[in-house]
Amino acid sequence: MTDVIASRKNPLVRRIRKLDSDAGFRRQEGQFLLWGAKSVEEAMADPSRVGHLVIGEKVSRQSSLRSLVRSARQLGVPIAILSDPLLEELVPGSSDQGLLALAHSRVLPLAALLRGDRAPLLLVADRIRDPGNLGTLVRLAEAAKATALVTVPGTVDPYNTRAARASAGSILRVPVADLPAPEAWGTLRSEHRLRVVVTLAHGGTSPHRTNLKGPLALVLGNEGEGVSPEWMDSADLRVQIELGGSVESLNVACAAAILLYEIHRQRAAL
């Protein structure tokens, strides 16, 4: 039986705390926190993605967990058992399901992700700051079979613990790339014939009246300010989601879902 860790000074506990709070440390270490039974089990399907498996003390006694623990041991994945109060303190909510993984992140060069994709679809997160919103966008990106999530400087880390949780495991499968420098982005845009699509509150065309087939970069703007002027100026297509009643705007994730469905519908009609 593995000893139960209850000390805040334990090196693993300190590491978990820093991975949760420090985006720079996550990037440097190439790891992030993933919690919840379903997400951890999905991560364990590819053990190369799991650096450490952390189990709550109460859950560790459950017979239903034996196969997962056995598999982790066979694959050489380190296992630690934390006291439930300490696990809850480190990652609020995680003690309910009692499973936490220190998973390996994958941030790849955009050029490599675009290579060989005849009709790429990029989701460009432009200064989106709410982790829940970004995690939902990652989930939508997987559903829409997007080529990659591209993050613009000022956007919350996709591997933020709350963002990873909101993605419901999709962060394990959706490629993530940083936006290249302007010159490199211009070259990629030209080489792959990417059309940039932005959304407007007023003055755009309806998505279903816009040709959204072919290579696209769909830019999703900041929750309060929308798409930045730089993206607006460089856009090929400007779309507007028509709303009824007194509703003036939609949550960024809601708008993304509508637009991605329309993109999917048009592509499926080919």
Side-chain angles (χ1 to χ4, degrees):
M1 176 70 176
T2 304
D3 292 337
V4 177
I5 297 172
S7 171
R8 296 184 179 91
K9 296 181 181 180
N10 180 277
L12 177 61
V13 170
R14 289 178 170 175
R15 182 176 182 81
I16 291 171
R17 196 184 300 279
K18 195 163 186 182
L19 285 171
D20 181 52
S21 63
D22 190 334
F25 184 71
R26 287 193 294 270
R27 177 65 68 98
Q28 173 187 316
E29 297 295 302
Q31 286 193 337
F32 67 105
L33 302 180
L34 189 69
W35 68 271
K38 185 174 184 297
S39 294
V40 171
E41 287 169 3
E42 288 179 0
M44 284 296 297
D46 178 4
S48 68
R49 297 298 303 272
V50 182
H52 218 118
L53 181 63
V54 178
I55 306 172
E57 184 178 6
K58 181 179 178 181
V59 170
S60 71
R61 303 191 191 101
Q62 296 178 2
S63 58
S64 59
L65 206 66
R66 287 174 185 166
S67 61
L68 182 66
V69 171
R70 188 184 310 115
S71 175
R73 285 176 175 154
Q74 290 172 347
L75 294 166
V77 176
I79 300 171
I81 298 177
L82 263 63
S83 70
D84 293 325
L86 182 56
L87 183 58
E88 181 67 20
E89 177 185 316
L90 291 171
V91 186
S94 59
S95 65
D96 291 342
Q97 298 191 38
L99 279 176
L100 175 71
L102 276 64
H104 296 295
S105 55
R106 289 178 180 169
V107 179
L108 303 170
L110 183 56
L113 294 172
L114 287 170
R115 196 174 298 131
D117 194 336
R118 293 184 179 180
L121 171 60
L122 302 179
L123 237 61
V124 180
D126 177 23
R127 301 164 301 123
I128 292 174
R129 298 191 176 99
D130 182 85
N133 281 339
L134 192 64
T136 303
L137 291 180
V138 173
R139 188 68 169 167
L140 290 169
E142 181 177 17
K145 298 180 180 179
T147 306
L149 173 79
V150 180
T151 58
V152 173
T155 295
V156 68
D157 180 12
Y159 292 105
N160 172 288
T161 306
R162 282 182 55 211
R165 175 66 177 166
S167 81
S170 292
I171 192 63
L172 293 165
R173 295 175 291 275
V174 174
V176 174
D178 296 325
L179 181 72
E183 184 176 345
W185 166 246
T187 299
L188 288 175
R189 184 175 171 181
S190 176
E191 286 178 352
H192 296 277
R193 293 179 288 179
L194 285 163
R195 291 182 299 155
V196 171
V197 184
V198 300
T199 56
L200 302 176
H202 306 286
T205 59
S206 296
H208 68 275
R209 295 193 184 96
T210 305
N211 179 2
L212 297 173
K213 300 172 185 176
L216 294 177
L218 175 60
V219 183
L220 303 161
N222 172 273
E223 292 89 348
E225 302 167 2
V227 175
S228 66
E230 293 81 4
W231 283 108
M232 202 72 73
D233 292 342
S234 68
D236 300 290
L237 301 169
R238 297 172 176 83
V239 297
Q240 172 189 342
I241 298 173
E242 297 173 356
L243 303 173
S246 60
V247 176
E248 296 182 359
S249 64
L250 294 175
N251 171 280
V252 63
C254 292
I258 293 170
L259 292 168
L260 287 170
Y261 176 79
E262 180 60 24
I263 290 169
H264 174 75
R265 187 190 70 80
Q266 292 190 23
R267 289 186 170 199
L270 290 174

